[in-house]
Amino acid sequence: MAIIEVSNLKKSYGKLDVLKKITFDVNKNDVVAVIGPSGSGKSTMLRSLVHLEQVEAGSICVSGQYLVKDGVYPKLPEIKQITAKMGMVFQHFNLFPHLTVQENLMIAPKLVKKETSVELQQRSSELLDKIGLLNRAKAYPANLSGGQKQRVAIARALMMSPEILLFDEPTSALDPELTGEVLQVMKDLAEEHMTMIVVTHEMGFAKEVANKVIFMDNGEIIESGHPSEIFTNPQFERTKVFLNRSL
C-alpha cells in the first residue's frame, strides 16, 4: 500500500525545467534512497513533498490525501494537515541557536499540538537518550559538533510523530568522521520500520539500508529499483557513468 504517490510532477524556474514528469510510489516502511549528480532536481523534488516548493503540474498524494492534484493545491489548513504527516531533516540542521537542545525538540509540538511541558519533557528526554545525547539536553547548539546537531535535528523531527521522514543530504555538511554517527541513527530508524526518503551521496547507506533506489539526472528519474539491481546491473548509461564516478 503506497503511503506516498507522486505522479507527473513538473517544476520550472523560468525556462529551466527542474522536474520533468517525476513519478514514483513509496510504500509504508520503505527506505528510499534518491541519488544522482548535483543539480539533478533531487532536493527540489523532496522539498515539493512538504510544500516548501510548489509544482506547476502533477499530483502528490500522502496517505490518501492530495497535497496537490493535477497542479492544483487545496486550501492552506488542508496543506498543513497533510504536510504534518512528514518530518524534514535538512542539510544545515536549522536548530534555534538561542534554545537549548531540549527546548529545540519541545518548541514545535508545544506550539502546534499544544502538548503540555511535562509530556514534552518526558518524550524529548526519551528521544535524546535514543540518539545518545541525553547528557547534552541543556547544551546550546553552538556547543555541539555537526554530527550532534544533525542527530538533534532528527530527534526534533521525530517529536512531531511523523508517518514519514524526509532527509535532504543529511551528512553532506559534516566531516567524514561525524557522518557515521548520523547514518547510525538513520539505520536504527530503518530497523524500526520508519518510512524514509533520503536524498544522499552516501552510496554505502543506499546499498545497505535502502530497499529502493531512485536515480535522478537532469530533472528526470532515469531508473529505480532495488539496490542490488541499481548498483550491480544498471540499465542506463547515465546511471552507469554516475555510479562509476561515485563508487
Side-chain angles (χ1 to χ4, degrees):
M1 169 73 182
I3 195 168
I4 297 181
E5 297 168 272
V6 176
S7 173
N8 290 318
L9 281 199
K10 292 172 87 174
K11 166 83 179 169
S12 305
Y13 295 124
K15 290 183 179 176
L16 178 67
D17 293 331
V18 187
L19 300 178
K20 306 171 188 173
K21 294 193 172 180
I22 296 292
T23 298
F24 66 94
D25 289 349
V26 178
N27 292 325
K28 191 171 170 56
N29 309 138
D30 272 353
V31 178
V32 179
V34 184
I35 63 171
S38 296
S40 58
K42 306 184 301 294
S43 292
T44 303
M45 179 276 292
L46 197 73
R47 289 167 64 85
S48 70
L49 299 181
V50 283
H51 198 240
L52 292 174
E53 299 276 1
Q54 276 194 270
V55 297
E56 285 100 47
S59 303
I60 300 168
C61 187
V62 182
S63 294
Q65 287 182 285
Y66 279 98
L67 174 65
V68 57
K69 188 171 185 181
D70 300 326
V72 179
Y73 286 86
K75 290 192 166 62
L76 195 56
E78 194 174 340
I79 289 174
K80 285 184 173 176
Q81 187 215 344
I82 295 166
T83 55
K85 298 175 187 199
M86 295 172 278
M88 182 92 168
V89 178
F90 298 90
Q91 186 177 342
H92 292 293
F93 329 127
N94 294 1
L95 299 177
F96 294 112
H98 63 291
L99 299 179
T100 66
V101 163
Q102 192 154 31
E103 288 166 346
N104 262 284
L105 265 64
M106 291 167 60
I107 187 167
K110 196 172 194 173
L111 294 174
V112 177
K113 295 188 171 182
K114 312 294 186 215
E115 293 183 49
T116 67
S117 292
V118 176
E119 47 188 356
L120 287 175
Q121 274 179 338
Q122 184 182 343
R123 200 143 53 84
S124 58
S125 294
E126 287 169 2
L127 276 173
L128 288 172
D129 191 32
K130 181 176 177 175
I131 62 166
L133 288 175
L134 185 57
N135 63 334
R136 306 310 307 272
K138 300 290 183 266
Y140 287 89
N143 298 319
L144 302 179
S145 71
Q148 289 172 331
K149 287 176 188 172
Q150 194 58 292
R151 281 148 66 195
V152 171
I154 294 170
R156 181 181 60 180
L158 289 168
M159 280 293 287
M160 296 296 283
S161 304
E163 295 176 32
I164 304 142
L165 268 186
L166 311 179
F167 294 84
D168 190 7
E169 301 194 7
T171 58
S172 62
L174 302 178
D175 294 332
E177 66 267 24
L178 300 176
T179 295
E181 64 190 61
V182 174
L183 292 178
Q184 187 58 54
V185 171
M186 294 167 66
K187 285 176 186 174
D188 292 345
L189 288 170
E191 285 171 12
E192 292 166 15
H193 307 297
M194 170 60 79
T195 307
M196 299 194 281
I197 305 176
V198 185
V199 170
T200 186
H201 291 293
E202 298 291 336
M203 295 300 134
F205 177 87
K207 265 183 172 177
E208 294 165 37
V209 185
N211 67 315
K212 183 176 182 180
V213 174
I214 292 173
F215 171 64
M216 287 182 68
D217 190 15
N218 195 28
E220 300 175 288
I221 291 178
I222 306 302
E223 61 181 304
S224 64
H226 192 273
S228 60
E229 299 164 9
I230 299 296
F231 285 104
T232 60
N233 190 28
Q235 300 300 300
F236 291 85
E237 191 60 31
R238 279 151 85 181
T239 317
K240 289 174 189 171
V241 169
F242 173 76
L243 290 175
N244 284 338
R245 287 182 188 149
S246 304
L247 294 172

